[in-house]
Structure formats: C-alpha cells, structure tokens
Amino acid sequence: RDEEATAARMKSEIARVLEASAHLAVLCSPNSARSEWVAWEVETFQRLGRRDRIHAVVIAGNPEHVCPKALQSSGGDAPLAADIRKEGDGWSDGALKLIAGLLGVPFGELKDREATRTKSARRIVAGVVGGFVLLFVGACAAGWVALDRSQRLQSALIKLLDDGVAKLDNANHFAREMTTEEIQRELS
C-alpha cells in the first residue's frame, strides 16, 4: 500500500511538471522502451496536446527498437530522433538536432549557424595568433637593430679608447724625451 501511495504521489508530481513543460525530451534506450513510467510520461504529455513537442534522443541500442511504443507512428515506425551515439549522429550533431527541435529551427539552418560561429571563432584565434607572431617578429627586429647599434657603438668606443691610449703613449714618450725646462715652457 505504501508503494501504491508513493507511486500515486510521484505520478501526480510528474503530471504537474509535465503540464508546466513546453517540451519533453525522451532518452531512448532498450530500458526506456520497456519502462512503464516512460510510456506513461509520453502518453500524459500527448494527452496535453503537445505530441509535436516530444523530442526523442537515442542514447543506446538500435534506433528502430528503443523508442517507447507511444512515440511510434501508427505503422510502428520509430520517430525522427537525435542520435547521440558515436555510430549515430554523434554528440555534436545529435545535440544540435535536439536543440533545433526545441527551438523550432531546421537542423540544417542551426548546423550552418554553428559552422559560421566556428569559422568566426577560428578567424578570431587566427587573428590573435597572427598578432602575436607580428609582435614577436617586431620584437626580434627591434632586438637585432639594438644589438647592431650596440656593436657599432662598442666598436666606436674601442676605436676612441685605442686613439686615446695611442695619444697618451705618444705624450708619455714625448714627455720622457723632453727636459724639465722644455716641459715648463710648454706648460706656460
């Protein structure tokens, strides 16, 4: 009896949530295809007149055999479903198919938008990388110019020092050859 009361409370709460929901995503797998609860939720949502807002998402198993009977057409065909399995649409396209259904936008249009967004993002990344490459090349060129200038200044300084040393040597040699009187005359 406790289980029956709990199940009744759960059904009441689930029905309240379903009434407040604009869409229902049904995760389809062999287990969900056999689940009485999943079947009841789908049927409840359909009774609310929202059959066109039920979105099947295949997560495991053969897509032909994993949808609850309530989702199948009168001929027993499985509904169109987003198939997020690797061997199906894959996660990316499967998620886009579900989102397209929720938004009421054709999948191709949404996929094109996603491709455009991806291209834009790649262009931005390429621009940023290109900017950093230009900065790097500019920094290398500036470093090379600074190194070249430093080497030229160093060479000029060495030449000046060599000239100064040579003049000091000449002055020292000249001073040794002069007498004290000659030096005093030169200084006066």
Side-chain angles (χ1 to χ4, degrees), residues 26 28 42 46 51-52 54-58 62-83 89 97:
V26 180
C28 299
V42 170
Q46 288 172 338
R51 179 181 202 89
D52 60 332
I54 299 175
H55 309 281
V57 180
V58 177
N62 180 339
E64 296 296 319
H65 306 291
V66 296
C67 291
K69 291 196 184 324
L71 282 180
Q72 297 173 3
S73 69
S74 56
D77 294 330
L80 289 177
D83 187 350
D89 299 320
K97 279 186 177 180

Side-chain angles (χ1 to χ4, degrees), residues 16-90:
R16 187 185 65 73
V17 170
L18 289 174
E19 286 176 24
S21 300
H23 296 269
L24 175 66
V26 180
L27 302 180
C28 299
S29 69
N31 290 336
S32 68
R34 293 186 298 271
S35 169
E36 292 178 22
W37 282 97
V38 172
W40 177 83
E41 288 175 20
V42 170
E43 290 165 358
T44 300
F45 204 76
Q46 288 172 338
R47 279 193 299 275
L48 294 170
R50 300 179 188 149
R51 179 181 202 89
D52 60 332
R53 292 192 235 152
I54 299 175
H55 309 281
V57 180
V58 177
I59 60 170
N62 180 339
E64 296 296 319
H65 306 291
V66 296
C67 291
K69 291 196 184 324
L71 282 180
Q72 297 173 3
S73 69
S74 56
D77 294 330
L80 289 177
D83 187 350
I84 62 172
R85 300 170 309 136
K86 281 184 183 178
E87 61 273 19
D89 299 320

Side-chain angles (χ1 to χ4, degrees), residues 47-158:
R47 279 193 299 275
L48 294 170
R50 300 179 188 149
R51 179 181 202 89
D52 60 332
R53 292 192 235 152
I54 299 175
H55 309 281
V57 180
V58 177
I59 60 170
N62 180 339
E64 296 296 319
H65 306 291
V66 296
C67 291
K69 291 196 184 324
L71 282 180
Q72 297 173 3
S73 69
S74 56
D77 294 330
L80 289 177
D83 187 350
I84 62 172
R85 300 170 309 136
K86 281 184 183 178
E87 61 273 19
D89 299 320
W91 175 252
S92 181
D93 280 356
L96 280 177
K97 279 186 177 180
L98 176 60
I99 292 167
L102 292 170
L103 297 175
V105 175
F107 169 70
E109 184 179 319
L110 193 59
K111 184 146 175 102
D112 290 345
R113 285 184 194 174
E114 179 64 14
T116 300
R117 186 196 64 75
T118 300
K119 283 181 188 176
S120 294
R122 285 185 181 150
R123 282 189 200 122
I124 290 169
V125 169
V128 169
V129 168
F132 278 116
V133 167
L134 287 175
L135 285 173
F136 178 75
V137 168
C140 288
W144 181 79
V145 167
L147 179 63
D148 182 58
R149 183 172 182 196
S150 171
Q151 288 172 341
R152 283 189 281 127
L153 288 172
Q154 183 180 11
S155 295
L157 182 58
I158 289 171

